[in-house]
Amino acid sequence: MKKTSTRLADGRELIYYDLRDDTVRDAVDRRPLDRTVTTSEIRRDPLLGDSVAVASHRQGRTYHPPADECPLCPTHGDRLSEIPDSSYDVVVFENRFPSLAGDSGRCEVVCFTSDHDASFAGLGEEQARLVLDAWTDRTSELSHLPSVEQVFCFENRGAEIGVTLGHPHGQIYAYPFTTPRTALMLRSLAAHKEATGGENLFDAVLERELAGERVVLEGEHWAAFVPYAAHWPYEVHLYPKRRVPDLLALDEAARTEFPQVYLELLRRFDRIFGEGEPPTPYIAAWHQAPFGALEEFDGVTRDDFALHLELFTIRRTSGKLKFLAGSESGMNVFINDVPPERAAERLREVASS
């Protein structure tokens, strides 16, 4: 992998990740852009104890542009985009309309391919591995920023999820705090460790799931399963079999196998609802240990946390979505219409031939 860092016309950082070591990236952003002005502010809820990012400048972000005006496609002639070069493998750049900025963290966009009509599931293994390497590199770089406590790599896919740009891409949020969902995991981890005399909760969950009926697919170094208490109609958790706290700690064997397992998982997601259905909307979310102090979680260290990816769709059946209504949005109590065992069975049924 070759990494080339440059700057866009408004000063934002852009990084090319290339498969070939001899690739030259010297194209200049020719757009007449003013410096990006953001209004991001983090406000803490005193009752719930969580944080909300207030970012009013995002109201003006690019919204469903036609394909020939996509800002994530390469620049061609006078058609200028966020990527100055006429081609690329993988690109990461600072979001022009970030939810988090400055002392409030950082937001980046990850373009998985220059092909506007592609999807992550359609990438080759070499390209998918390059994306993994880019995620890993950005996790490392962002973790060293003084304002960053946790790095979150994710992909929103599909208009139903709220995606406003059709080009295959994901995002990276670098938070200045430990996110509420991670804090819940760490509290459960600490309580289980104390109650069992030192047993790791992530290890116990993975062992139980691998021995049960909800395994979707399994490789030598990775395992995917529908969790016992899945929140979403079709939800799969992907774990490396050797517990590591973050993407940086994956060994080469796990990195090599990841594209095979993950691409197969995504392709199965697109087959859940049968032939002729539109691509399955989903969220793919990497959970990594925070880089900040963990004193509030008694007896827990970063090495106790287990890196894993959670993949889920809001589509519950053909033509119908799972909406977060009263119980889910009002009280955070999910109601799942699809038994996890049936979801796992369906995901095994649609395996590649």
PDB file of all heavy atoms in Angstrom, residues 112 117-122 154-163 165-170 266-267 269-271 278-284 311-315:
ATOM      1  N   PHE A 112     -14.528   3.891  -1.187  1.00  0.00           N
ATOM      2  CA  PHE A 112     -14.034   2.524  -1.326  1.00  0.00           C
ATOM      3  C   PHE A 112     -13.508   2.219  -2.721  1.00  0.00           C
ATOM      4  O   PHE A 112     -12.709   1.297  -2.905  1.00  0.00           O
ATOM      5  CB  PHE A 112     -15.149   1.528  -1.007  1.00  0.00           C
ATOM      6  CG  PHE A 112     -15.745   1.689   0.358  1.00  0.00           C
ATOM      7  CD1 PHE A 112     -17.108   1.542   0.554  1.00  0.00           C
ATOM      8  CD2 PHE A 112     -14.950   1.984   1.464  1.00  0.00           C
ATOM      9  CE1 PHE A 112     -17.677   1.667   1.808  1.00  0.00           C
ATOM     10  CE2 PHE A 112     -15.503   2.120   2.730  1.00  0.00           C
ATOM     11  CZ  PHE A 112     -16.877   1.970   2.904  1.00  0.00           C
ATOM     12  N   ASP A 117     -20.921   3.166  -9.621  1.00  0.00           N
ATOM     13  CA  ASP A 117     -22.004   2.180  -9.637  1.00  0.00           C
ATOM     14  C   ASP A 117     -21.670   0.894  -8.893  1.00  0.00           C
ATOM     15  O   ASP A 117     -22.458  -0.053  -8.917  1.00  0.00           O
ATOM     16  CB  ASP A 117     -22.378   1.844 -11.086  1.00  0.00           C
ATOM     17  CG  ASP A 117     -22.898   3.063 -11.832  1.00  0.00           C
ATOM     18  OD1 ASP A 117     -23.691   3.824 -11.241  1.00  0.00           O
ATOM     19  OD2 ASP A 117     -22.494   3.268 -12.995  1.00  0.00           O
ATOM     20  N   ALA A 118     -20.529   0.847  -8.235  1.00  0.00           N
ATOM     21  CA  ALA A 118     -20.119  -0.361  -7.512  1.00  0.00           C
ATOM     22  C   ALA A 118     -20.734  -0.378  -6.112  1.00  0.00           C
ATOM     23  O   ALA A 118     -21.489   0.509  -5.716  1.00  0.00           O
ATOM     24  CB  ALA A 118     -18.598  -0.424  -7.426  1.00  0.00           C
ATOM     25  N   SER A 119     -20.414  -1.420  -5.363  1.00  0.00           N
ATOM     26  CA  SER A 119     -20.779  -1.519  -3.949  1.00  0.00           C
ATOM     27  C   SER A 119     -19.633  -2.225  -3.248  1.00  0.00           C
ATOM     28  O   SER A 119     -18.773  -2.839  -3.895  1.00  0.00           O
ATOM     29  CB  SER A 119     -22.067  -2.318  -3.769  1.00  0.00           C
ATOM     30  OG  SER A 119     -21.866  -3.675  -4.138  1.00  0.00           O
ATOM     31  N   PHE A 120     -19.615  -2.171  -1.923  1.00  0.00           N
ATOM     32  CA  PHE A 120     -18.548  -2.874  -1.208  1.00  0.00           C
ATOM     33  C   PHE A 120     -18.602  -4.359  -1.517  1.00  0.00           C
ATOM     34  O   PHE A 120     -17.579  -5.011  -1.715  1.00  0.00           O
ATOM     35  CB  PHE A 120     -18.674  -2.627   0.302  1.00  0.00           C
ATOM     36  CG  PHE A 120     -17.376  -2.831   1.042  1.00  0.00           C
ATOM     37  CD1 PHE A 120     -16.806  -1.801   1.770  1.00  0.00           C
ATOM     38  CD2 PHE A 120     -16.718  -4.058   1.013  1.00  0.00           C
ATOM     39  CE1 PHE A 120     -15.604  -1.977   2.448  1.00  0.00           C
ATOM     40  CE2 PHE A 120     -15.515  -4.249   1.685  1.00  0.00           C
ATOM     41  CZ  PHE A 120     -14.962  -3.202   2.403  1.00  0.00           C
ATOM     42  N   ALA A 121     -19.808  -4.906  -1.593  1.00  0.00           N
ATOM     43  CA  ALA A 121     -19.958  -6.336  -1.867  1.00  0.00           C
ATOM     44  C   ALA A 121     -19.388  -6.724  -3.221  1.00  0.00           C
ATOM     45  O   ALA A 121     -19.017  -7.879  -3.439  1.00  0.00           O
ATOM     46  CB  ALA A 121     -21.430  -6.727  -1.800  1.00  0.00           C
ATOM     47  N   GLY A 122     -19.307  -5.767  -4.148  1.00  0.00           N
ATOM     48  CA  GLY A 122     -18.798  -6.048  -5.480  1.00  0.00           C
ATOM     49  C   GLY A 122     -17.305  -5.845  -5.637  1.00  0.00           C
ATOM     50  O   GLY A 122     -16.761  -6.081  -6.721  1.00  0.00           O
ATOM     51  N   PHE A 154     -17.353   3.211   9.824  1.00  0.00           N
ATOM     52  CA  PHE A 154     -18.660   2.630   9.522  1.00  0.00           C
ATOM     53  C   PHE A 154     -19.072   2.933   8.087  1.00  0.00           C
ATOM     54  O   PHE A 154     -18.519   3.816   7.434  1.00  0.00           O
ATOM     55  CB  PHE A 154     -19.721   3.145  10.499  1.00  0.00           C
ATOM     56  CG  PHE A 154     -20.001   4.626  10.426  1.00  0.00           C
ATOM     57  CD1 PHE A 154     -21.103   5.102   9.735  1.00  0.00           C
ATOM     58  CD2 PHE A 154     -19.189   5.541  11.074  1.00  0.00           C
ATOM     59  CE1 PHE A 154     -21.390   6.467   9.678  1.00  0.00           C
ATOM     60  CE2 PHE A 154     -19.453   6.907  11.028  1.00  0.00           C
ATOM     61  CZ  PHE A 154     -20.555   7.366  10.323  1.00  0.00           C
ATOM     62  N   GLU A 155     -20.043   2.155   7.627  1.00  0.00           N
ATOM     63  CA  GLU A 155     -20.655   2.391   6.327  1.00  0.00           C
ATOM     64  C   GLU A 155     -22.166   2.421   6.476  1.00  0.00           C
ATOM     65  O   GLU A 155     -22.757   1.509   7.046  1.00  0.00           O
ATOM     66  CB  GLU A 155     -20.283   1.298   5.316  1.00  0.00           C
ATOM     67  CG  GLU A 155     -20.927   1.539   3.940  1.00  0.00           C
ATOM     68  CD  GLU A 155     -20.830   0.371   2.978  1.00  0.00           C
ATOM     69  OE1 GLU A 155     -20.282  -0.683   3.362  1.00  0.00           O
ATOM     70  OE2 GLU A 155     -21.316   0.506   1.838  1.00  0.00           O
ATOM     71  N   ASN A 156     -22.785   3.490   5.965  1.00  0.00           N
ATOM     72  CA  ASN A 156     -24.226   3.543   5.770  1.00  0.00           C
ATOM     73  C   ASN A 156     -24.476   3.238   4.303  1.00  0.00           C
ATOM     74  O   ASN A 156     -23.930   3.905   3.430  1.00  0.00           O
ATOM     75  CB  ASN A 156     -24.789   4.922   6.087  1.00  0.00           C
ATOM     76  CG  ASN A 156     -24.595   5.320   7.539  1.00  0.00           C
ATOM     77  OD1 ASN A 156     -24.595   4.473   8.413  1.00  0.00           O
ATOM     78  ND2 ASN A 156     -24.436   6.602   7.793  1.00  0.00           N
ATOM     79  N   ARG A 157     -25.352   2.279   4.015  1.00  0.00           N
ATOM     80  CA  ARG A 157     -25.605   1.906   2.627  1.00  0.00           C
ATOM     81  C   ARG A 157     -27.104   1.920   2.346  1.00  0.00           C
ATOM     82  O   ARG A 157     -27.862   1.243   3.027  1.00  0.00           O
ATOM     83  CB  ARG A 157     -25.032   0.519   2.361  1.00  0.00           C
ATOM     84  CG  ARG A 157     -24.945   0.131   0.888  1.00  0.00           C
ATOM     85  CD  ARG A 157     -26.107  -0.727   0.449  1.00  0.00           C
ATOM     86  NE  ARG A 157     -25.848  -1.349  -0.841  1.00  0.00           N
ATOM     87  CZ  ARG A 157     -25.849  -2.645  -1.071  1.00  0.00           C
ATOM     88  NH1 ARG A 157     -26.109  -3.497  -0.105  1.00  0.00           N
ATOM     89  NH2 ARG A 157     -25.629  -3.119  -2.268  1.00  0.00           N
ATOM     90  N   GLY A 158     -27.523   2.725   1.367  1.00  0.00           N
ATOM     91  CA  GLY A 158     -28.916   2.737   0.953  1.00  0.00           C
ATOM     92  C   GLY A 158     -29.670   3.986   1.356  1.00  0.00           C
ATOM     93  O   GLY A 158     -29.450   4.543   2.439  1.00  0.00           O
ATOM     94  N   ALA A 159     -30.564   4.426   0.482  1.00  0.00           N
ATOM     95  CA  ALA A 159     -31.366   5.617   0.759  1.00  0.00           C
ATOM     96  C   ALA A 159     -32.234   5.434   1.991  1.00  0.00           C
ATOM     97  O   ALA A 159     -32.512   6.390   2.729  1.00  0.00           O
ATOM     98  CB  ALA A 159     -32.230   5.944  -0.459  1.00  0.00           C
ATOM     99  N   GLU A 160     -32.674   4.196   2.254  1.00  0.00           N
ATOM    100  CA  GLU A 160     -33.522   3.945   3.420  1.00  0.00           C
ATOM    101  C   GLU A 160     -32.798   4.235   4.733  1.00  0.00           C
ATOM    102  O   GLU A 160     -33.421   4.555   5.742  1.00  0.00           O
ATOM    103  CB  GLU A 160     -34.005   2.493   3.436  1.00  0.00           C
ATOM    104  CG  GLU A 160     -34.820   2.089   2.220  1.00  0.00           C
ATOM    105  CD  GLU A 160     -33.973   1.434   1.137  1.00  0.00           C
ATOM    106  OE1 GLU A 160     -32.777   1.806   1.007  1.00  0.00           O
ATOM    107  OE2 GLU A 160     -34.490   0.560   0.443  1.00  0.00           O
ATOM    108  N   ILE A 161     -31.478   4.124   4.705  1.00  0.00           N
ATOM    109  CA  ILE A 161     -30.671   4.408   5.889  1.00  0.00           C
ATOM    110  C   ILE A 161     -30.505   5.913   6.082  1.00  0.00           C
ATOM    111  O   ILE A 161     -30.240   6.393   7.180  1.00  0.00           O
ATOM    112  CB  ILE A 161     -29.286   3.736   5.767  1.00  0.00           C
ATOM    113  CG1 ILE A 161     -29.433   2.209   5.714  1.00  0.00           C
ATOM    114  CG2 ILE A 161     -28.343   4.124   6.906  1.00  0.00           C
ATOM    115  CD1 ILE A 161     -29.929   1.586   6.987  1.00  0.00           C
ATOM    116  N   GLY A 162     -30.656   6.670   4.985  1.00  0.00           N
ATOM    117  CA  GLY A 162     -30.453   8.112   5.033  1.00  0.00           C
ATOM    118  C   GLY A 162     -29.248   8.577   4.251  1.00  0.00           C
ATOM    119  O   GLY A 162     -28.822   9.734   4.375  1.00  0.00           O
ATOM    120  N   VAL A 163     -28.682   7.691   3.426  1.00  0.00           N
ATOM    121  CA  VAL A 163     -27.508   8.047   2.632  1.00  0.00           C
ATOM    122  C   VAL A 163     -27.888   9.096   1.585  1.00  0.00           C
ATOM    123  O   VAL A 163     -28.874   8.934   0.865  1.00  0.00           O
ATOM    124  CB  VAL A 163     -26.921   6.792   1.948  1.00  0.00           C
ATOM    125  CG1 VAL A 163     -25.790   7.171   1.016  1.00  0.00           C
ATOM    126  CG2 VAL A 163     -26.440   5.801   3.006  1.00  0.00           C
ATOM    127  N   LEU A 165     -25.462  10.394  -0.668  1.00  0.00           N
ATOM    128  CA  LEU A 165     -24.576  10.260  -1.818  1.00  0.00           C
ATOM    129  C   LEU A 165     -24.516   8.790  -2.213  1.00  0.00           C
ATOM    130  O   LEU A 165     -24.183   7.939  -1.381  1.00  0.00           O
ATOM    131  CB  LEU A 165     -23.168  10.771  -1.497  1.00  0.00           C
ATOM    132  CG  LEU A 165     -23.040  12.260  -1.147  1.00  0.00           C
ATOM    133  CD1 LEU A 165     -21.615  12.593  -0.739  1.00  0.00           C
ATOM    134  CD2 LEU A 165     -23.473  13.139  -2.318  1.00  0.00           C
ATOM    135  N   GLY A 166     -24.833   8.479  -3.472  1.00  0.00           N
ATOM    136  CA  GLY A 166     -24.932   7.093  -3.909  1.00  0.00           C
ATOM    137  C   GLY A 166     -23.608   6.399  -4.136  1.00  0.00           C
ATOM    138  O   GLY A 166     -23.558   5.172  -4.230  1.00  0.00           O
ATOM    139  N   HIS A 167     -22.513   7.143  -4.236  1.00  0.00           N
ATOM    140  CA  HIS A 167     -21.196   6.550  -4.466  1.00  0.00           C
ATOM    141  C   HIS A 167     -20.819   5.649  -3.291  1.00  0.00           C
ATOM    142  O   HIS A 167     -21.056   5.997  -2.135  1.00  0.00           O
ATOM    143  CB  HIS A 167     -20.164   7.674  -4.613  1.00  0.00           C
ATOM    144  CG  HIS A 167     -18.878   7.246  -5.212  1.00  0.00           C
ATOM    145  ND1 HIS A 167     -18.528   7.510  -6.515  1.00  0.00           N
ATOM    146  CD2 HIS A 167     -17.838   6.554  -4.694  1.00  0.00           C
ATOM    147  CE1 HIS A 167     -17.330   7.017  -6.764  1.00  0.00           C
ATOM    148  NE2 HIS A 167     -16.893   6.425  -5.668  1.00  0.00           N
ATOM    149  N   PRO A 168     -20.222   4.461  -3.539  1.00  0.00           N
ATOM    150  CA  PRO A 168     -19.843   3.574  -2.432  1.00  0.00           C
ATOM    151  C   PRO A 168     -18.794   4.211  -1.522  1.00  0.00           C
ATOM    152  O   PRO A 168     -17.670   4.453  -1.930  1.00  0.00           O
ATOM    153  CB  PRO A 168     -19.291   2.327  -3.139  1.00  0.00           C
ATOM    154  CG  PRO A 168     -18.971   2.770  -4.529  1.00  0.00           C
ATOM    155  CD  PRO A 168     -19.905   3.872  -4.862  1.00  0.00           C
ATOM    156  N   HIS A 169     -19.208   4.481  -0.305  1.00  0.00           N
ATOM    157  CA  HIS A 169     -18.310   5.154   0.628  1.00  0.00           C
ATOM    158  C   HIS A 169     -18.734   4.877   2.051  1.00  0.00           C
ATOM    159  O   HIS A 169     -19.844   4.407   2.317  1.00  0.00           O
ATOM    160  CB  HIS A 169     -18.309   6.674   0.388  1.00  0.00           C
ATOM    161  CG  HIS A 169     -19.571   7.354   0.837  1.00  0.00           C
ATOM    162  ND1 HIS A 169     -20.773   7.233   0.165  1.00  0.00           N
ATOM    163  CD2 HIS A 169     -19.838   8.144   1.924  1.00  0.00           C
ATOM    164  CE1 HIS A 169     -21.706   7.936   0.789  1.00  0.00           C
ATOM    165  NE2 HIS A 169     -21.177   8.479   1.862  1.00  0.00           N
ATOM    166  N   GLY A 170     -17.849   5.156   2.977  1.00  0.00           N
ATOM    167  CA  GLY A 170     -18.143   5.061   4.392  1.00  0.00           C
ATOM    168  C   GLY A 170     -17.630   6.300   5.090  1.00  0.00           C
ATOM    169  O   GLY A 170     -17.217   7.273   4.444  1.00  0.00           O
ATOM    170  N   LEU A 266     -21.529  -9.737   3.036  1.00  0.00           N
ATOM    171  CA  LEU A 266     -22.266  -8.660   2.370  1.00  0.00           C
ATOM    172  C   LEU A 266     -23.080  -9.192   1.192  1.00  0.00           C
ATOM    173  O   LEU A 266     -24.215  -8.752   0.955  1.00  0.00           O
ATOM    174  CB  LEU A 266     -21.299  -7.584   1.887  1.00  0.00           C
ATOM    175  CG  LEU A 266     -20.602  -6.754   2.966  1.00  0.00           C
ATOM    176  CD1 LEU A 266     -19.682  -5.721   2.321  1.00  0.00           C
ATOM    177  CD2 LEU A 266     -21.615  -6.039   3.869  1.00  0.00           C
ATOM    178  N   ARG A 267     -22.526 -10.144   0.462  1.00  0.00           N
ATOM    179  CA  ARG A 267     -23.251 -10.707  -0.684  1.00  0.00           C
ATOM    180  C   ARG A 267     -24.465 -11.506  -0.231  1.00  0.00           C
ATOM    181  O   ARG A 267     -25.502 -11.493  -0.888  1.00  0.00           O
ATOM    182  CB  ARG A 267     -22.297 -11.553  -1.525  1.00  0.00           C
ATOM    183  CG  ARG A 267     -21.259 -10.700  -2.249  1.00  0.00           C
ATOM    184  CD  ARG A 267     -20.062 -11.481  -2.739  1.00  0.00           C
ATOM    185  NE  ARG A 267     -19.046 -10.576  -3.272  1.00  0.00           N
ATOM    186  CZ  ARG A 267     -17.782 -10.908  -3.512  1.00  0.00           C
ATOM    187  NH1 ARG A 267     -17.379 -12.158  -3.258  1.00  0.00           N
ATOM    188  NH2 ARG A 267     -16.930 -10.024  -3.985  1.00  0.00           N
ATOM    189  N   PHE A 269     -26.186 -10.736   2.408  1.00  0.00           N
ATOM    190  CA  PHE A 269     -27.165  -9.715   2.787  1.00  0.00           C
ATOM    191  C   PHE A 269     -27.991  -9.279   1.581  1.00  0.00           C
ATOM    192  O   PHE A 269     -29.192  -9.017   1.700  1.00  0.00           O
ATOM    193  CB  PHE A 269     -26.453  -8.518   3.433  1.00  0.00           C
ATOM    194  CG  PHE A 269     -26.670  -8.438   4.919  1.00  0.00           C
ATOM    195  CD1 PHE A 269     -26.268  -9.469   5.751  1.00  0.00           C
ATOM    196  CD2 PHE A 269     -27.275  -7.341   5.494  1.00  0.00           C
ATOM    197  CE1 PHE A 269     -26.463  -9.417   7.120  1.00  0.00           C
ATOM    198  CE2 PHE A 269     -27.483  -7.267   6.865  1.00  0.00           C
ATOM    199  CZ  PHE A 269     -27.073  -8.306   7.680  1.00  0.00           C
ATOM    200  N   ASP A 270     -27.357  -9.190   0.430  1.00  0.00           N
ATOM    201  CA  ASP A 270     -28.086  -8.767  -0.767  1.00  0.00           C
ATOM    202  C   ASP A 270     -29.024  -9.847  -1.296  1.00  0.00           C
ATOM    203  O   ASP A 270     -29.843  -9.577  -2.176  1.00  0.00           O
ATOM    204  CB  ASP A 270     -27.103  -8.347  -1.858  1.00  0.00           C
ATOM    205  CG  ASP A 270     -26.695  -6.888  -1.748  1.00  0.00           C
ATOM    206  OD1 ASP A 270     -27.389  -6.148  -1.025  1.00  0.00           O
ATOM    207  OD2 ASP A 270     -25.703  -6.485  -2.367  1.00  0.00           O
ATOM    208  N   ARG A 271     -28.925 -11.070  -0.771  1.00  0.00           N
ATOM    209  CA  ARG A 271     -29.795 -12.157  -1.232  1.00  0.00           C
ATOM    210  C   ARG A 271     -30.912 -12.487  -0.236  1.00  0.00           C
ATOM    211  O   ARG A 271     -31.748 -13.333  -0.515  1.00  0.00           O
ATOM    212  CB  ARG A 271     -28.971 -13.433  -1.461  1.00  0.00           C
ATOM    213  CG  ARG A 271     -27.863 -13.305  -2.495  1.00  0.00           C
ATOM    214  CD  ARG A 271     -27.290 -14.688  -2.804  1.00  0.00           C
ATOM    215  NE  ARG A 271     -26.056 -14.578  -3.554  1.00  0.00           N
ATOM    216  CZ  ARG A 271     -24.839 -14.691  -3.015  1.00  0.00           C
ATOM    217  NH1 ARG A 271     -24.709 -14.954  -1.721  1.00  0.00           N
ATOM    218  NH2 ARG A 271     -23.753 -14.572  -3.757  1.00  0.00           N
ATOM    219  N   PRO A 278     -34.395  -4.774  -4.528  1.00  0.00           N
ATOM    220  CA  PRO A 278     -33.302  -3.789  -4.552  1.00  0.00           C
ATOM    221  C   PRO A 278     -32.232  -4.168  -3.543  1.00  0.00           C
ATOM    222  O   PRO A 278     -32.485  -4.951  -2.624  1.00  0.00           O
ATOM    223  CB  PRO A 278     -34.005  -2.481  -4.171  1.00  0.00           C
ATOM    224  CG  PRO A 278     -35.248  -2.902  -3.452  1.00  0.00           C
ATOM    225  CD  PRO A 278     -35.662  -4.198  -4.067  1.00  0.00           C
ATOM    226  N   PRO A 279     -31.014  -3.638  -3.699  1.00  0.00           N
ATOM    227  CA  PRO A 279     -29.940  -3.955  -2.750  1.00  0.00           C
ATOM    228  C   PRO A 279     -30.375  -3.709  -1.311  1.00  0.00           C
ATOM    229  O   PRO A 279     -31.108  -2.766  -1.017  1.00  0.00           O
ATOM    230  CB  PRO A 279     -28.808  -2.996  -3.166  1.00  0.00           C
ATOM    231  CG  PRO A 279     -29.084  -2.700  -4.608  1.00  0.00           C
ATOM    232  CD  PRO A 279     -30.570  -2.695  -4.744  1.00  0.00           C
ATOM    233  N   THR A 280     -29.932  -4.564  -0.421  1.00  0.00           N
ATOM    234  CA  THR A 280     -30.325  -4.462   0.988  1.00  0.00           C
ATOM    235  C   THR A 280     -29.644  -3.266   1.642  1.00  0.00           C
ATOM    236  O   THR A 280     -28.415  -3.165   1.631  1.00  0.00           O
ATOM    237  CB  THR A 280     -29.934  -5.739   1.743  1.00  0.00           C
ATOM    238  OG1 THR A 280     -30.581  -6.864   1.126  1.00  0.00           O
ATOM    239  CG2 THR A 280     -30.347  -5.662   3.201  1.00  0.00           C
ATOM    240  N   PRO A 281     -30.434  -2.357   2.230  1.00  0.00           N
ATOM    241  CA  PRO A 281     -29.814  -1.253   2.973  1.00  0.00           C
ATOM    242  C   PRO A 281     -29.202  -1.789   4.265  1.00  0.00           C
ATOM    243  O   PRO A 281     -29.752  -2.708   4.879  1.00  0.00           O
ATOM    244  CB  PRO A 281     -30.993  -0.324   3.261  1.00  0.00           C
ATOM    245  CG  PRO A 281     -32.176  -1.231   3.306  1.00  0.00           C
ATOM    246  CD  PRO A 281     -31.897  -2.313   2.296  1.00  0.00           C
ATOM    247  N   TYR A 282     -28.074  -1.236   4.670  1.00  0.00           N
ATOM    248  CA  TYR A 282     -27.462  -1.726   5.911  1.00  0.00           C
ATOM    249  C   TYR A 282     -26.578  -0.673   6.541  1.00  0.00           C
ATOM    250  O   TYR A 282     -26.217   0.334   5.920  1.00  0.00           O
ATOM    251  CB  TYR A 282     -26.655  -3.007   5.654  1.00  0.00           C
ATOM    252  CG  TYR A 282     -25.451  -2.866   4.759  1.00  0.00           C
ATOM    253  CD1 TYR A 282     -24.273  -2.236   5.189  1.00  0.00           C
ATOM    254  CD2 TYR A 282     -25.457  -3.394   3.469  1.00  0.00           C
ATOM    255  CE1 TYR A 282     -23.151  -2.133   4.361  1.00  0.00           C
ATOM    256  CE2 TYR A 282     -24.342  -3.295   2.631  1.00  0.00           C
ATOM    257  CZ  TYR A 282     -23.196  -2.660   3.091  1.00  0.00           C
ATOM    258  OH  TYR A 282     -22.090  -2.551   2.269  1.00  0.00           O
ATOM    259  N   ILE A 283     -26.235  -0.932   7.784  1.00  0.00           N
ATOM    260  CA  ILE A 283     -25.180  -0.211   8.495  1.00  0.00           C
ATOM    261  C   ILE A 283     -24.143  -1.237   8.909  1.00  0.00           C
ATOM    262  O   ILE A 283     -24.490  -2.295   9.451  1.00  0.00           O
ATOM    263  CB  ILE A 283     -25.733   0.535   9.719  1.00  0.00           C
ATOM    264  CG1 ILE A 283     -26.653   1.678   9.282  1.00  0.00           C
ATOM    265  CG2 ILE A 283     -24.586   1.083  10.582  1.00  0.00           C
ATOM    266  CD1 ILE A 283     -27.349   2.386  10.434  1.00  0.00           C
ATOM    267  N   ALA A 284     -22.882  -0.959   8.613  1.00  0.00           N
ATOM    268  CA  ALA A 284     -21.766  -1.809   9.033  1.00  0.00           C
ATOM    269  C   ALA A 284     -20.889  -0.982   9.971  1.00  0.00           C
ATOM    270  O   ALA A 284     -20.373   0.067   9.565  1.00  0.00           O
ATOM    271  CB  ALA A 284     -20.958  -2.283   7.831  1.00  0.00           C
ATOM    272  N   LEU A 311     -23.166  -5.718  11.672  1.00  0.00           N
ATOM    273  CA  LEU A 311     -23.800  -5.464  10.379  1.00  0.00           C
ATOM    274  C   LEU A 311     -25.294  -5.717  10.524  1.00  0.00           C
ATOM    275  O   LEU A 311     -25.698  -6.790  10.983  1.00  0.00           O
ATOM    276  CB  LEU A 311     -23.202  -6.402   9.327  1.00  0.00           C
ATOM    277  CG  LEU A 311     -23.836  -6.423   7.941  1.00  0.00           C
ATOM    278  CD1 LEU A 311     -23.587  -5.110   7.199  1.00  0.00           C
ATOM    279  CD2 LEU A 311     -23.278  -7.605   7.133  1.00  0.00           C
ATOM    280  N   PHE A 312     -26.115  -4.744  10.144  1.00  0.00           N
ATOM    281  CA  PHE A 312     -27.560  -4.956  10.277  1.00  0.00           C
ATOM    282  C   PHE A 312     -28.318  -4.148   9.227  1.00  0.00           C
ATOM    283  O   PHE A 312     -27.820  -3.155   8.696  1.00  0.00           O
ATOM    284  CB  PHE A 312     -28.052  -4.603  11.684  1.00  0.00           C
ATOM    285  CG  PHE A 312     -27.810  -3.170  12.102  1.00  0.00           C
ATOM    286  CD1 PHE A 312     -28.750  -2.183  11.859  1.00  0.00           C
ATOM    287  CD2 PHE A 312     -26.641  -2.821  12.761  1.00  0.00           C
ATOM    288  CE1 PHE A 312     -28.540  -0.867  12.256  1.00  0.00           C
ATOM    289  CE2 PHE A 312     -26.406  -1.503  13.165  1.00  0.00           C
ATOM    290  CZ  PHE A 312     -27.365  -0.531  12.909  1.00  0.00           C
ATOM    291  N   THR A 313     -29.529  -4.611   8.936  1.00  0.00           N
ATOM    292  CA  THR A 313     -30.408  -3.925   8.003  1.00  0.00           C
ATOM    293  C   THR A 313     -31.695  -3.516   8.700  1.00  0.00           C
ATOM    294  O   THR A 313     -32.151  -4.190   9.629  1.00  0.00           O
ATOM    295  CB  THR A 313     -30.747  -4.805   6.782  1.00  0.00           C
ATOM    296  OG1 THR A 313     -31.625  -4.069   5.898  1.00  0.00           O
ATOM    297  CG2 THR A 313     -31.424  -6.106   7.185  1.00  0.00           C
ATOM    298  N   ILE A 314     -32.287  -2.418   8.230  1.00  0.00           N
ATOM    299  CA  ILE A 314     -33.566  -1.968   8.766  1.00  0.00           C
ATOM    300  C   ILE A 314     -34.733  -2.537   7.960  1.00  0.00           C
ATOM    301  O   ILE A 314     -35.886  -2.273   8.277  1.00  0.00           O
ATOM    302  CB  ILE A 314     -33.661  -0.430   8.795  1.00  0.00           C
ATOM    303  CG1 ILE A 314     -33.597   0.136   7.373  1.00  0.00           C
ATOM    304  CG2 ILE A 314     -32.561   0.150   9.664  1.00  0.00           C
ATOM    305  CD1 ILE A 314     -33.927   1.606   7.297  1.00  0.00           C
ATOM    306  N   ARG A 315     -34.442  -3.323   6.917  1.00  0.00           N
ATOM    307  CA  ARG A 315     -35.514  -3.981   6.163  1.00  0.00           C
ATOM    308  C   ARG A 315     -35.900  -5.270   6.887  1.00  0.00           C
ATOM    309  O   ARG A 315     -35.054  -6.113   7.148  1.00  0.00           O
ATOM    310  CB  ARG A 315     -35.062  -4.277   4.739  1.00  0.00           C
ATOM    311  CG  ARG A 315     -36.174  -4.809   3.836  1.00  0.00           C
ATOM    312  CD  ARG A 315     -35.675  -5.055   2.422  1.00  0.00           C
ATOM    313  NE  ARG A 315     -35.342  -3.804   1.750  1.00  0.00           N
ATOM    314  CZ  ARG A 315     -34.621  -3.732   0.634  1.00  0.00           C
ATOM    315  NH1 ARG A 315     -34.131  -4.831   0.081  1.00  0.00           N
ATOM    316  NH2 ARG A 315     -34.367  -2.558   0.081  1.00  0.00           N
TER     317      ARG A 315
END
